[in-house]
Structures are given as C-alpha cells and as structure tokens.
Amino acid sequence: MTRHIFLFISFIMLFTACQKDKQDYHFEKQNTVSIKTADSTFTVTQFETLKVATVLTESIPSRDGYTYQWKAWQVGGDTIILSRNKDLDVSIVLEPGRYELEYKVANTRTGIVSFMIYRLTVNGGFYEGWLVSNNRNGKALLSFIREDGEQFLNPAEIINNTTYPGKALGAFAATDPFGSIALINFFTDQGVYRFNANDLVQNGSTTDIFPEGKQFVSKPCYAVGKSVIDQYIIANGGLHVGLGPVFFPAEVLKPFSDRLPGDYDLFPAIISSSQYATFFYDNRHKRFMQASYLDRELTVASGSDAAAFNMGNVGMTMLASDYGVMGAMSDEYYFVMQGADGRYILSLSNTTPGINQKIGNSPGIEQATAFATSSVAKHLYYAAGNNIYLYDMLANSSRQVFSFPTGVQIADVKLFRSTSKRLVVAANEGAEGKVYYFDLDNLGDVVGNTATDTFSGFGEIAHLFYRD
C-alpha cells in the first residue's frame, strides 16, 4: 500500500513539473556600450597632461548610469589607476616607457562592462634632440635642444643640483628602439658623468665607470655596438669595454674594463658597421682594429690588398668618421683620412671596404676641422674657419654652401640622420655659442641661404650629439 502511495505522489510531481516547463519565456536584449576615440595610440611627455575624449554609444538608449576607469601598466609591472572620469584629462607622472592603457565602462544597473586597450608611450622631458656640450665661466655645461624646439640651457646641473668641473669635451648617448638601454655619458677633462637619457637624472660618475679614476686629455667617445651586447669608451686613445643589456641587463651600470692591452692609439670613433664585430682605427699604426662581442681582446682587422683599401694596413691618419646608409644588420661608414699627398674619403659597409678616393677640387679641405656625411647621398659637409662646404663624392669636387661673418668659428657640424635634409652647426663667437639649423634641398644646398632656426645662450660649444 505504501508503495502505491509513493508512486502516485511521484506521478503528480512529474506531471506538475511538465506543466511548468510549458510556460512561455521572454528574453530581454541587454544594453551594451561601444567606445570610440580619435586615436588608438597616444604619446605624452612625462609630467604633461594627456587628454583623451571618448564617444560612448548605447545599443539601447537608456538612462542607465555608468562608472569609468582608466588604468595603465607595463608587462610584469604594477597597474596604476589614472582616472575614474569618463574622459581622460590628467597629468602623467608615469616613468618614461611604453604602456598598455585600458579604458573600462561599467553599467551600474546590469554590471555589463565594455573596454578598450590602447598603446601609450611616455617620453621623458629629454626624449629626443641635440646634446650640446659647452663651457661657461669655468664650468662644463650639458645643454639640450629637444626635437620639438624646446631649449634647455643647463638641465643636468639643475636636475641634479650639482656642477660639473673642468672643460666639457663631449656627450654621447646610447639608446636602442626597444628601450633596453638609454644612457648618456658626459665627458669633461676631469671626469665622466652618466645620466638616464630620458630624464637626465645622474646615475653614475667617474669612479662608478673607472674605479681608479680617469682624466681625459683628448676628445673621448662612447657608444654601444650594433648588437647592443657591449658598451665601449675610447679614452686617451685606449679602449675600455662594458657589458650591454642583451645578455647581462643587470651589469649595464657596472664599471668598464681597464684599457685593453696592446700597442695602439685609437681615433675616437666606434665603428659599429657589423652585427658581429665592432671596428676601431689605430692612428699609431694606421690600420683598423676590431673587437668581437663579449670579447675583451683588440685585434688587427683582416684585410686584402685586392680590396679598395687593406683594412689591416691603410697607411693613413683618420681625421673623421660618420655614418652613411644605415641598415638593420649592417651600416655604412665614411672616413676622412690624411694621406701623404692630401686628404682622402674612404668608406666601409659591414666589413667590406668601399670608396678610396683622394678629395679633389675642394677649397679649404686641408684646413677643415669638422665633417658630416649624408645617409641618402654621396655628400660630405666640411667646415673650415667660418665657411661650410659640400663635397660631392661622385663629382669629386666641392662648393661653398654657407659662410658665417668674420670672427665666427665653426665648432661642430652634424646632419639630422633620419632624413639627412638638415645640417646642424655649432658656431662660436668668442665665449658665446649658437646652434643653427640649415634645411637642405635635393641638391644638398642650404635652402634660402639662411638658417631655419637659431638657438643661442650657450657658452663656448665643444660638441654636438643627437640623442634619439
């Protein structure tokens, strides 16, 4: 009897459940939001304001409320909330670098979230531009002309609340597109000072780089090899090597080696024409030398008399070195050489000698003290006294392209490398220095025979270098 009652109750429950399953369901379409901004990537200078206006469109117009959030992060780093407003309008205090920027919109009624991811680049205040090494009132000054034309006469001293004694010789930056290294070394005759390239905060001085101390009696040079595995400093004709960021990123700020042994006197040029070896020029024995990456030995470069010139036995004195065509795996370099019978132009592409030509029909070439070569044309600019000349390698002749007034001495000449359409000249008149921009036409001549822009207020300028 009990069994029958149980079966009856089960039947009733099953029937009731089936009856409920036949009810009619109604599905409500949810309100979603689409996000639109003018750009998908943003670039801002540190401590400046980033503004991003948003247009939000509901799929179903409503009076729903929303919350907003902007946040930024780097891979492996902390997440930083920038704002909780609909549109971004905030001073960016993030460290210089590349970030992911997320914008999130949440419906307060339904909880549905919409979001977008953007690319954000935060540049330091000194992200790109000309380092100007100059001297005023017995002090070495590191000045800067930013890419946008903003000029800073003495930022290193102000930022670090210190002075740099001695005579400024030059400043050199080591950077790469992936941000693995961004350093500046500023040399005076009494020492060397190292800075973060993006903000000019000092992170080292002479004894951090050369623990036994170092003074400089001639113009030095600093650079990384093309593979970014090693750092190099040429000081007083000797080569010193430090580790780069590729294999040993924690060792980048460690001291450099002692002078590599050998009988040589290097011209201050680091010739990173090849991924696999970096070249140097020994003015004592008039030959190229090389160092392989992670190798602490300087050896004579191999060469052949059948080539345009024998790298191991050039027989001339180097006066200048500058870039030609730059590539992903190898670069072209030009060299001005003093031979027994005059001055020559030589070139090297990767490890292969190219041009070996005596410079002809060129007024003032024997008195020239500053040189710059183009990356798009076979052109060499040189300065002699207060005059600038253009040497056409193909025509093997030169012409004057600009002349400063009498009493002005040209200290340095550089080309803006990315286009080779701007000649940048540092010139001194007594203890006062100026930097001039000259735009160039397709023939290499100065447009309008006048400077496009002029920057003044410097002390006596010693050296220019472009930090990119």
Side-chain angles (χ1 to χ4, degrees):
M1 182 67 181
T2 302
R3 179 173 177 270
H4 290 156
I5 293 172
F6 175 77
L7 289 174
F8 178 75
I9 292 172
S10 298
F11 175 78
I12 294 299
M13 292 176 65
L14 179 62
F15 177 79
T16 303
C18 290
Q19 288 293 100
K20 288 182 179 178
D21 282 346
K22 291 181 180 179
Q23 63 184 314
D24 185 23
Y25 287 97
H26 173 69
F27 294 95
E28 180 182 355
K29 189 175 182 180
Q30 295 296 326
N31 183 19
T32 60
V33 171
S34 65
I35 302 168
K36 184 178 180 180
T37 55
D39 298 295
S40 60
T41 61
F42 303 98
T43 300
V44 64
T45 300
Q46 190 181 27
F47 306 121
E48 293 185 355
T49 299
L50 175 61
K51 295 183 179 183
V52 181
T54 62
V55 176
L56 307 181
T57 304
E58 295 179 304
S59 61
I60 302 174
S62 74
R63 295 184 179 181
D64 289 349
Y66 293 92
T67 61
Y68 313 96
Q69 179 179 274
W70 296 87
K71 67 180 181 180
W73 71 91
Q74 290 178 309
V75 176
D78 295 332
T79 297
I80 298 123
I81 304 298
L82 299 178
S83 174
R84 297 188 186 277
N85 295 326
K86 173 183 174 293
D87 296 332
L88 187 62
D89 185 354
V90 63
S91 176
I92 298 298
V93 296
L94 301 171
E95 292 296 318
R98 293 178 175 85
Y99 293 82
E100 303 295 318
L101 175 64
E102 180 190 272
Y103 177 51
K104 183 171 69 175
V105 180
N107 189 306
T108 57
R109 180 178 64 85
T110 65
I112 294 176
V113 173
S114 301
F115 65 91
M116 291 288 289
I117 302 291
Y118 306 96
R119 299 284 184 180
L120 171 63
T121 299
V122 179
N123 290 319
F126 308 95
Y127 55 88
E128 186 174 354
W130 291 98
L131 297 165
V132 184
S133 300
N134 60 110
N135 297 282
R136 183 183 290 280
N137 299 327
K139 292 193 304 183
L141 303 178
L142 178 58
S143 303
F144 191 74
I145 304 171
R146 202 164 62 191
E147 181 270 340
D148 62 1
E150 187 76 18
Q151 181 179 355
F152 305 85
L153 289 176
N154 198 13
E157 182 175 305
I158 295 169
I159 290 168
N160 298 289
N161 192 30
T162 188
T163 59
Y164 301 98
K167 181 180 180 181
L169 300 175
F172 304 85
T175 60
D176 80 281
F178 306 104
S180 60
I181 190 169
L183 297 174
I184 291 170
N185 280 304
F186 176 44
F187 295 87
T188 76
D189 60 357
Q190 295 186 23
V192 55
Y193 308 92
R194 186 179 59 210
F195 304 90
N196 300 327
N198 292 322
D199 55 20
L200 283 187
V201 172
Q202 185 174 327
N203 62 37
S205 58
T206 308
T207 53
D208 297 302
I209 300 169
F210 299 105
E212 300 302 318
K214 177 75 72 175
Q215 291 185 324
F216 302 90
V217 298
S218 59
K219 180 182 172 182
C221 188
Y222 163 72
V224 294
K226 190 166 181 62
S227 59
V228 203
I229 295 174
D230 292 296
Q231 303 178 76
Y232 299 99
I233 290 177
I234 296 175
N236 305 328
L239 181 63
H240 305 262
V241 188
L243 289 169
V246 172
F247 296 132
F248 304 98
E251 308 293 313
V252 167
L253 301 184
K254 294 292 182 67
F256 277 60
S257 71
D258 292 333
R259 179 189 187 275
L260 296 194
D263 178 24
Y264 62 87
D265 180 18
L266 299 185
F267 179 80
I270 297 162
I271 306 160
S272 54
S273 61
S274 169
Q275 285 274 8
Y276 307 105
T278 303
F279 294 100
F280 310 88
Y281 194 81
D282 174 18
N283 265 343
R284 176 171 297 159
H285 298 288
K286 305 185 188 322
R287 61 192 180 182
F288 283 91
M289 304 189 79
Q290 70 180 63
S292 299
Y293 61 78
L294 296 178
D295 193 356
R296 300 301 180 256
E297 182 181 8
L298 191 59
T299 60
V300 177
S302 59
S304 169
D305 289 334
F309 55 88
N310 186 334
M311 291 184 65
N313 184 26
V314 179
M316 291 186 277
T317 300
M318 183 175 286
L319 302 177
S321 169
D322 202 6
Y323 286 102
V325 177
M326 303 171 69
M329 298 299 294
S330 65
D331 292 339
E332 180 182 40
Y333 276 76
Y334 292 106
F335 314 104
V336 179
M337 297 283 193
Q338 181 67 55
D341 59 342
R343 294 189 169 181
Y344 285 73
I345 183 79
L346 275 62
S347 70
L348 179 69
S349 182
N350 198 347
T351 61
T352 304
I355 297 172
N356 181 2
Q357 177 174 290
K358 185 179 180 182
I359 299 175
N361 306 308
S362 297
I365 188 63
E366 293 296 330
Q367 292 76 44
T369 55
F371 306 85
T373 50
S374 171
S375 290
V376 299
K378 298 294 185 184
H379 286 169
L380 163 71
Y381 292 87
Y382 64 91
N386 62 327
N387 298 313
I388 301 173
Y389 300 89
L390 168 59
Y391 172 63
D392 186 328
M393 300 178 202
L394 299 180
N396 194 21
S397 65
S398 298
R399 62 182 182 272
Q400 183 177 304
V401 293
F402 193 79
S403 181
F404 287 98
T406 302
V408 174
Q409 290 292 313
I410 298 170
D412 204 358
V413 175
K414 294 289 193 297
L415 273 165
F416 180 53
R417 189 57 52 187
S418 64
T419 64
S420 288
K421 286 295 188 71
R422 171 170 287 173
L423 188 67
V424 182
V425 179
N428 297 315
E429 188 169 5
E432 300 294 324
K434 294 182 180 181
V435 175
Y436 300 85
Y437 288 173
F438 295 99
D439 287 345
L440 306 173
D441 62 23
N442 291 332
L443 297 178
D445 293 312
V446 172
V447 174
N449 194 37
T450 188
T452 308
D453 211 343
T454 303
F455 302 88
S456 60
F458 304 104
E460 185 178 1
I461 299 173
H463 181 250
L464 294 173
F465 189 91
Y466 196 76
R467 174 264 191 273
D468 56 13

